[in-house]
């Protein structure tokens, strides 16, 4: 286990860990669906759209497709979902606007105060599959106090590809153990640990809604296991003081 005092920077998975993507996408989709498919549930629509996320990135991780930013994948996935749902007649402008739902997600209640606490002692940045503009827009709207924007578009690869973690360590000029990945997803943490990063698991039991079945508990002995980001900040404060 890493000594907490070795940690100099924390990088964060964002979708699900820092922000509530499901509620935000459902909120943005509701008005669109009211116009085009009032029989569809906005949360189900958000879930269907999100299910296209990993397969689309796998095309790039596997080398079958060159890197494109997540905004592009999200829009392509949205067009697929609309066609599959039998939704016709939406204009390109409407589709573009709905695709910006991912730029307007709300943080979990603990995220902003905890990030501000952590920022006082550590470098903090997203390590997200989201592209730079998406992360900047989200941060400005939600008040996420990042020191930098890092992640997929910076290294032109999607998590959990190893280079996302190793190149981020190099960008920050740190030893791997000095960088801690904070995530609500065991798979993300496992990939980071294989590259020597420190790890912190945050339980987000409703990321996928009230019937969530995955990532309800830590599957390995991560360096930190916490119920929210304030608890992580307190543990790090206690270990340093």
């Amino acid at each position: 286990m890493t000594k907490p005092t070795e940690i100099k920077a924390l990088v964060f998975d964002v979708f699900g860990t820092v922000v509530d993507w499901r509620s935000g996408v459902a909120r943005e989709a509701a008005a669109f669906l009211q116009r085009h498919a009032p029989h569809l549930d906005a949360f189900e629509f958000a879930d269907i759209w999100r299910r296209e996320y990993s397969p689309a990135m796998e095309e790039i991780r596997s080398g079958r497709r060159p890197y494109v930013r997540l905004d592009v994948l999200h829009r392509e996935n949205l067009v697929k979902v609309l066609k599959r749902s039998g939704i016709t007649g939406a204009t390109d402008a409407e589709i573009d606007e709905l695709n910006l739902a991912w730029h307007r997600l709300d943080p979990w209640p603990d995220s902003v105060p905890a990030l501000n606490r952590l920022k006082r002692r550590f470098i903090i940045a997203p390590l997200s599959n989201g592209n730079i503009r998406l992360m900047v827009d989200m941060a400005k709207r939600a008040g996420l106090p990042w020191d930098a924007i890092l992640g997929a578009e910076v290294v032109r690869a999607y998590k959990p590809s190893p280079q996302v973690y190793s190149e981020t360590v190099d960008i920050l000029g740190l030893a791997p153990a000095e960088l801690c990945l904070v995530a609500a997803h065991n798979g993300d943490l496992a990939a980071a640990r294989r590259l020597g990063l420190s790890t912190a698991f945050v339980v987000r039991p409703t990321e996928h809604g009230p019937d969530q079945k995955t990532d309800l508990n830590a599957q390995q002995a991560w360096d930190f296991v916490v119920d929210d980001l304030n608890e992580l900040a307190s543990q790090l404060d206690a270990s340093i003081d």
Side-chain angles (χ1 to χ4, degrees):
M1 181 175 291
T2 303
K3 294 179 181 178
T5 51
E6 293 177 356
I7 294 169
K8 295 181 179 177
L10 299 122
V11 289
F12 295 76
D13 171 74
V14 175
F15 298 119
T17 302
V18 176
V19 300
D20 177 4
W21 63 263
R22 187 174 187 263
S23 296
V25 171
R27 179 192 63 230
E28 297 283 334
F32 176 92
L33 293 174
Q34 190 59 40
R35 293 193 302 273
H36 294 285
H39 61 287
L40 292 182
D41 179 81
F43 283 97
E44 290 181 11
F45 184 87
D47 292 336
I48 293 168
W49 191 0
R50 177 69 173 188
R51 282 199 287 272
E52 298 294 328
Y53 175 78
S54 187
M57 289 188 298
E58 185 56 30
E59 289 297 301
I60 294 167
R61 287 191 292 252
S62 68
R64 291 189 293 269
R65 181 180 184 182
Y67 177 84
V68 297
R69 64 179 60 95
L70 189 61
D71 274 341
V72 173
L73 297 182
H74 272 157
R75 194 185 192 283
E76 291 174 354
N77 294 341
L78 176 57
V79 170
K80 289 180 186 176
V81 169
L82 294 177
K83 183 176 181 180
R84 196 177 304 141
S85 301
I87 297 173
T88 59
T91 66
D92 284 343
E94 285 181 298
I95 294 170
D96 288 342
E97 180 64 20
L98 182 53
N99 199 46
L100 291 175
W102 298 93
H103 293 231
R104 297 191 285 255
L105 304 178
D106 294 332
W108 297 110
D110 56 287
S111 293
V112 173
L115 289 175
N116 278 301
R117 289 175 63 190
L118 292 164
K119 183 183 174 75
R120 293 197 290 265
R121 295 192 182 221
F122 305 98
I123 297 168
I124 62 167
L127 189 67
S128 173
N129 284 325
N131 48 281
I132 294 169
R133 178 61 186 272
L134 191 165
M135 288 292 113
V136 170
D137 286 350
M138 184 192 299
K140 283 185 171 293
R141 180 183 178 277
L144 304 174
W146 304 125
D147 292 312
I149 302 294
L150 302 174
E153 191 172 16
V154 177
V155 303
R156 301 186 71 78
Y158 284 112
K159 296 186 299 179
S161 299
Q163 63 264 42
V164 180
Y165 311 97
S166 60
E167 291 186 27
T168 300
V169 169
D170 183 63
I171 287 167
L172 290 173
L174 300 174
E178 294 175 330
L179 181 61
C180 181
L181 175 66
V182 183
H185 310 119
N186 285 280
D188 198 354
L189 294 172
R193 173 171 276 181
R194 286 193 288 272
L195 276 296
L197 277 69
S198 300
T199 53
F201 178 72
V202 185
V203 182
R204 296 298 192 194
T206 59
E207 176 191 353
H208 297 280
D211 300 320
Q212 181 167 317
K213 301 291 193 298
T214 60
D215 291 313
L216 295 174
N217 48 62
Q219 294 176 357
Q220 294 188 39
W222 308 119
D223 296 298
F224 301 90
V225 177
V226 296
D227 289 329
D228 62 34
L229 294 178
N230 277 316
E231 185 180 349
L232 178 63
S234 294
Q235 287 193 20
L236 285 166
D237 281 344
S239 70
I240 294 171
D241 291 339

